[in-house]
Amino acid sequence: MKRWIYMLAALFLLAALPAAASAAPLTHNYDCSDTTPTAYDARVDQAAMYYSSSSSTNAHASTAYSQFRSDAVFFFNGHGLYYDDSHKGGGIKFSSESWILADTDGHYPGTDRYYITDYGTDIRDVLLAVYLACHSSHYNPYNGDLLQQTMNKGADICLGFDGEVEVENGKCWSGSFWDRLRNGETVASAASNAKDDCYLHWPFGYHGVDTYEISGSYNSCLTPARYGVY
Amino acid sequence: MKRIHIVAMLCLVVAVSVVSAAGASAPIGVDTAKERAQDFLNAPDVTVQYQKTERLNLGEYYVFGTGDGQIYVNARTGVIERATFDSARKDCRDVRLDRAAAEATARAYAEEKYSGFAKKSMQLTRSNLVSHGDAGSEYSYIWREESSGVLTPNTVVVNLNPSTGEIVSYIGIQREIECPLEPKLSRDEALKIAAGQFPGIRVTSATADLSVEYTRPDAQTLTWVITMRGEPEDHVLQGGLVVIDAQTGEVLMVSPYL
C-alpha cells in the first residue's frame, strides 16, 4: 500500500514539472539585421533569470506581433524607420519588408504592417520591451511614437534609442545590458552602465548608445521573473 | 679576473633590468587595487568588494562593487579608469544647472581625478544634455587628447546629474602613444574606401577622424574612424561606421546603421 502511495506521489510530481516549467514568463528576442547573436545572448541571460526565453533571426513582423501578446519581455535588434530627418522613428523592420509600427497617418512603409495602436489590452502583461534600432524612441509625425504607444497599451517599461545606433555598438550595448540585468541591476542602471561599457570598446565613443530613452518603471529589475503589472 | 668581473656586472645589469621590466608589467594584485579604489572614493567607511577581472583590448581591470556602483582599477597601473555612482542618478529629471555651471563641475572633477589633465592638450569633443526619457537626463562631457591632429587614447568622460551636479559616471584613460602618428592613407582615400563598404550609397554627409585605437589586445593602431550617412533605402538609413588602418588601408570594421 505504502509503495503505491509513493508511486502516485512521484507520478503527480512528474506531471506537475512541465506545468511549472511552462508557467515561467515568456520572452521573445529577435535579430533582424546583421545583429546575431544578440537575440540568442539575451535569451541565455533571460533563461538564467528563470524566464522561458526564445530567440530567432529574421522573423516576420506577423510572428513577433502575435507573440508579443504572450511576452513578459520583448527584445528587437534591427533597423528602425527613417524617411528623412524630420520623419524618423515609430517603426521597426522585420524580414520581407514587414514592419511593426506605432501608428500611421496614411504613410505605409514596406509591404506588411502591424500596428501597436491596434492592440487592445493584448500587451498589458509586458514587463519590458526593448527596441534596439535607430530612432526607435523618436516621435515620427507619420508613424507615431513606439515607446509611448507600447506604454499606452500597458507595458511596464519600454526602452528605445533617439539617435542613430550601428550594428557593432548595438551588439556591445545589448550584450552588456542583458548581462547587467541578469546580475540584478535596474533597467536604468543597466542601460547607463552598458553605454559606458561600449565607450571603452574600439573605436572610442558612445556612437549613439547614449541616446537610450526609457519609459515607465525604469528603476525595476527583471528578477524575480514575472509578467508586468496591469 | 677582470673579465669575470665584467661578465658578472653585465649579468647583474641584465638581471636587474629583467626584474624591473617584469615588475612594470605585472598586475598589482587585488588588495592593492582595492586600496586604490578606496582612496579614489575618499570615503574610508564605504565597503569595496571585488567582483571580477575584466580583460579589454585597452587593458585588464579589477572591478569592484561599492554598493552604489562600480570602480574599475587598471590591473597594471592601479589607476582608477572608470567609476559609476548609481545614487547620483536620483532626481535627474529637472535641469537646474546651466551649461556653464555643468561644464565647470565636470572640468573640476576631471582635473581632480585625471592626472595631468590641465597639462595635456585635451579637446572638449562633446558637451551635451542627453535625455533618457522618464529616467531623467544627464550632462555628458567628453575630452580627447589631440596630438598632431590625431585623437589619442587619452580621454576623459564625465556624466553628471543636471539637477544636483553629482557625478553619475567617470571614465579616464591614460596611455603612452606607441604607434606612429603620421598616416600613409589620406582623408580622401579613407573616405573613398569607406564609401566602397556601402555599395550604391548616395552619401549625404561624412566625418573622418584620425584616432589611435586599441583594435587588438594591448596593441595601438592609427586609424581613420569614419561616420558616413547616405540617403535612405526602403525606409532604412544608409551608411554607418567604418574603421580603416591609416597605414595599410585595411578595413578593420564596417558597422552599418540599424
Side-chain angles (χ1 to χ4, degrees):
Chain A
M1 186 63 182
K2 232 180 187 179
R3 189 188 292 169
W4 279 107
I5 292 169
Y6 280 133
M7 277 181 76
L8 272 171
L11 275 170
F12 179 77
L13 276 173
L14 274 174
L17 267 178
S22 65
L26 296 174
T27 76
H28 286 100
N29 302 277
Y30 305 95
D31 270 323
C32 287
S33 184
D34 298 327
T35 55
T36 50
T38 62
Y40 177 78
D41 289 346
R43 168 194 173 172
V44 170
D45 284 327
Q46 291 155 10
M49 292 185 273
Y50 302 106
Y51 287 88
S52 177
S53 55
S54 66
S55 61
S56 63
T57 303
N58 294 327
H60 193 275
S62 61
T63 308
Y65 189 79
S66 167
Q67 288 174 337
F68 206 167
R69 293 185 171 99
S70 60
D71 283 341
V73 177
F74 175 101
F75 171 49
F76 170 87
N77 190 356
H79 289 302
L81 181 58
Y82 183 93
Y83 296 88
D84 55 52
D85 274 344
S86 304
H87 304 90
K88 57 190 179 184
I92 47 176
K93 186 180 185 179
F94 289 81
S95 68
S96 309
E97 295 296 318
S98 63
W99 292 80
I100 288 181
L101 303 160
D103 200 349
T104 185
D105 73 339
H107 284 81
Y108 303 104
T111 51
D112 288 311
R113 292 156 295 266
Y114 303 85
Y115 301 98
I116 302 283
T117 193
D118 285 348
Y119 282 131
T121 54
D122 315 53
I123 59 167
R124 66 182 185 182
D125 289 342
V126 171
L127 174 64
L128 172 66
V130 177
Y131 305 125
L132 177 42
C134 281
H135 314 300
S136 55
S137 69
H138 196 84
Y139 168 71
N140 181 348
Y142 293 163
N143 296 105
D145 185 326
L146 269 178
L147 262 60
Q148 198 185 319
Q149 273 303 340
T150 307
M151 295 302 291
N152 287 349
K153 295 296 175 182
D156 284 16
I157 318 161
C158 194
L159 189 153
F161 291 82
D162 188 59
E164 285 137 22
V165 185
E166 23 75 24
V167 171
E168 292 304 323
N169 273 283
K171 283 182 184 177
C172 173
W173 182 88
S174 165
S176 176
F177 175 71
W178 293 108
D179 183 56
R180 285 178 174 277
L181 285 174
R182 173 185 181 164
N183 287 326
E185 292 189 23
T186 65
V187 173
S189 175
S192 175
N193 288 329
K195 100 183 183 263
D196 283 345
D197 287 332
C198 296
Y199 188 91
L200 297 177
H201 285 83
W202 69 281
F204 283 109
Y206 288 131
H207 303 287
V209 293
D210 59 328
T211 67
Y212 70 86
E213 292 191 328
I214 309 173
S215 291
S217 323
Y218 56 89
N219 268 333
S220 297
C221 297
L222 285 204
T223 48
R226 65 194 187 281
Y227 281 99
V229 179
Y230 61 89
Chain B
M1 192 63 182
K2 261 186 178 174
R3 193 183 288 171
I4 290 171
H5 278 157
I6 292 166
V7 171
M9 285 285 281
L10 276 172
C11 287
L12 196 67
V13 168
V14 169
V16 166
S17 0
V18 166
V19 168
S20 62
S25 62
I28 57 168
V30 173
D31 290 339
T32 311
K34 191 174 174 178
E35 284 168 22
R36 301 285 173 89
Q38 206 93 48
D39 292 346
F40 180 88
L41 290 172
N42 217 358
D45 50 329
V46 170
T47 310
V48 174
Q49 217 162 22
Y50 172 75
Q51 289 181 331
K52 61 181 175 177
T53 299
E54 197 167 307
R55 285 170 190 81
L56 303 176
N57 283 359
L58 265 176
E60 192 172 304
Y61 294 93
Y62 296 127
V63 184
F64 295 91
T66 63
D68 182 39
Q70 289 177 308
I71 304 277
Y72 284 63
V73 184
N74 186 310
R76 306 279 160 178
T77 63
V79 172
I80 281 62
E81 297 196 336
R82 182 177 164 190
T84 56
F85 307 96
D86 291 343
S87 61
R89 265 196 299 270
K90 278 179 193 158
D91 307 320
C92 58
R93 288 199 195 190
D94 299 330
V95 179
R96 293 204 175 99
L97 250 63
D98 64 24
R99 286 177 185 271
E103 187 180 330
T105 306
R107 187 179 289 275
Y109 193 80
E111 283 171 356
E112 181 195 338
K113 298 298 186 188
Y114 189 91
S115 168
F117 181 84
K119 287 178 192 159
K120 284 187 186 296
S121 173
M122 301 299 275
Q123 308 296 318
L124 185 64
T125 56
R126 199 186 81 158
S127 58
N128 269 356
L129 178 64
V130 188
S131 167
H132 299 308
D134 289 346
S137 305
E138 62 186 352
Y139 276 117
S140 182
Y141 294 91
I142 299 179
W143 287 271
R144 289 281 300 268
E145 184 193 42
E146 201 178 296
S147 175
S148 313
V150 178
L151 297 171
T152 79
N154 296 324
T155 180
V156 177
V157 179
V158 179
N159 295 314
L160 56 93
N161 183 319
S163 178
T164 64
E166 286 178 279
I167 306 302
V168 173
S169 66
Y170 161 81
I171 294 171
I173 307 297
Q174 189 139 197
R175 298 286 185 277
E176 293 296 323
I177 307 304
E178 293 160 351
C179 68
L181 296 183
E182 298 79 34
K184 287 188 180 140
L185 202 69
S186 72
R187 184 180 187 275
D188 287 346
E189 287 168 328
L191 284 169
K192 200 173 169 184
I193 292 172
Q197 306 311 305
F198 305 110
I201 191 170
R202 296 185 301 277
V203 178
T204 53
S205 64
T207 63
D209 291 314
L210 267 176
S211 176
V212 175
E213 299 287 344
Y214 282 85
T215 57
R216 288 174 288 123
D218 297 318
Q220 295 180 355
T221 310
L222 181 66
T223 64
W224 281 106
V225 177
I226 292 163
T227 304
M228 185 164 274
R229 276 172 62 118
E231 288 176 19
E233 289 272 336
D234 297 325
H235 303 102
V236 169
L237 182 65
Q238 299 299 296
L241 185 69
V242 181
V243 182
I244 300 167
D245 188 316
Q247 306 297 359
T248 66
E250 184 190 352
V251 177
L252 303 172
M253 177 193 282
V254 180
S255 183
Y257 285 130
L258 287 174

